[in-house]
Amino acid sequence: MNAPTNPAAAATTDVHIQWIFLPHEDPEASLAFYRDILGFEVRKDVGRDTMRWITVGPVGRPDTSLVLEPPAMDPGVTEEERRTVREMMAKGTYARLTLGTTDLDGTFERLAAGGAEVVQEPADQPYGVRDCAFRDPAGNMIRFNQVG
């Protein structure tokens, strides 16, 4: 007897994450972190001054991008909501991203040596993941998991 197939799973085999959006307040500081320290390539840099949308991504993976954008730019967001977003960014509680790496310790050392704000040194978690964490210049939590 053949196992039943899951039509929804079959339909998602061609789905992947294309863009992820994170807020930033200082485009140059964000570039220094994502391009210069993390090693991502800059794919687009649109706008000027602090109103810049910067697309970066891992070298050799053109189908996955991170868009750094001014916070709460949706026209439906109120000024009070923008203030709340900025306050949460300052505390590091607004946005987060988890990246995978085959060399967690090396990645940690490289980012720490580059001046990235360390939140957690590499550690084995009780839920089975070895990871570490940093905050980017906007306060976004960037975690790294050991993979492979």
Side-chain angles (χ1 to χ4, degrees):
M1 178 173 190
N2 290 336
T5 60
N6 180 341
T12 62
T13 58
D14 191 34
V15 174
H16 66 274
I17 295 171
Q18 187 168 356
W19 295 321
I20 300 164
F21 290 82
L22 285 180
H24 77 83
E25 295 269 45
D26 182 339
E28 294 307 319
S30 291
L31 279 171
F33 179 82
Y34 287 98
R35 179 192 60 206
D36 302 338
I37 298 174
L38 189 53
F40 280 8
E41 63 185 359
V42 176
R43 299 188 178 145
K44 290 184 183 175
D45 189 341
V46 179
R48 62 178 178 196
D49 301 325
T50 58
M51 296 301 290
R52 285 167 62 189
W53 285 256
I54 304 166
T55 304
V56 297
V59 175
R61 301 207 174 186
D63 60 340
T64 302
S65 295
L66 172 60
V67 181
L68 305 168
E69 64 177 348
M73 289 309 303
D74 186 300
V77 175
T78 67
E79 200 50 48
E80 181 179 341
E81 291 168 331
R82 281 188 185 85
R83 249 189 326 278
T84 299
V85 167
R86 284 189 169 94
E87 289 169 4
M88 291 177 72
M89 286 171 61
K91 291 185 344 185
T93 59
Y94 182 70
R96 62 184 169 248
L97 173 69
T98 301
L99 302 170
T101 178
T102 57
D103 182 11
L104 184 70
D105 294 313
T107 298
F108 176 83
E109 292 301 326
R110 184 167 45 89
L111 270 72
E117 180 184 345
V118 175
V119 174
Q120 175 206 306
E121 294 189 11
D124 294 320
Q125 301 298 341
Y127 43 86
V129 173
R130 180 168 171 75
D131 68 357
C132 66
F134 293 88
R135 282 181 47 170
D136 77 1
N140 301 307
M141 179 72 67
I142 310 299
R143 299 192 74 82
F144 292 87
N145 287 353
Q146 176 73 44
V147 295

